[in-house]
Amino acid sequence: MSEPTILHATFTAQPGTGDRVAALLRDFAEVVRAEEGNIVFDATRLVDDPDRFFVYEVYRDEAAFQAHIAAPAGVPFNAALQELIVEPSSQLTFLRRL
């Protein structure tokens, strides 16, 4: 059995855009959760810094993650997100279960 692909993404909304980022992320989360290979897509906002976002994602395997990356919904989401965040893109950290 193959390993799941697990990662978290972090990013910071530009001043005044936090609620727009949250709405964009909420809509995208619904789409991702419907993908066949997605197991978890938890999008959260930091309590102490509501302009900071943390997304925890789990995909069945690497193929499911690659299908997620190639899915058509990701292109407009990432383009819109890039216009609203401080970083050039989401900062991804890949994880491995113990």
Side-chain angles (χ1 to χ4, degrees), residues 23-38:
L24 182 69
L25 194 51
R26 255 190 310 275
D27 291 345
F28 188 59
E30 288 183 32
V31 172
V32 175
R33 289 176 186 140
E35 293 175 2
E36 180 187 340
N38 177 259

Side-chain angles (χ1 to χ4, degrees), residues 80-96:
L81 182 67
Q82 191 172 4
E83 296 296 317
L84 299 172
I85 63 174
V86 174
E87 302 84 0
S89 64
S90 302
Q91 306 301 295
L92 303 181
T93 301
F94 289 85
L95 307 165
R96 181 172 294 126

Side-chain angles (χ1 to χ4, degrees), residues 1-87:
M1 182 174 193
S2 61
E3 294 266 332
T5 296
I6 306 167
L7 66 139
H8 68 76
T10 58
F11 44 89
T12 309
Q14 293 179 13
T17 68
D19 289 341
R20 287 172 53 200
V21 170
L24 182 69
L25 194 51
R26 255 190 310 275
D27 291 345
F28 188 59
E30 288 183 32
V31 172
V32 175
R33 289 176 186 140
E35 293 175 2
E36 180 187 340
N38 177 259
I39 297 169
V40 176
F41 190 93
D42 284 337
T44 58
R45 229 171 161 171
L46 275 65
V47 171
D48 295 336
D49 186 357
D51 283 340
R52 294 277 300 150
F53 292 82
F54 180 92
V55 182
Y56 179 72
E57 305 175 49
V58 181
Y59 298 88
R60 180 185 59 235
D61 52 24
E62 180 63 21
F65 177 66
Q66 291 304 321
H68 163 70
I69 295 298
V75 172
F77 168 78
N78 285 311
L81 182 67
Q82 191 172 4
E83 296 296 317
L84 299 172
I85 63 174
V86 174
E87 302 84 0

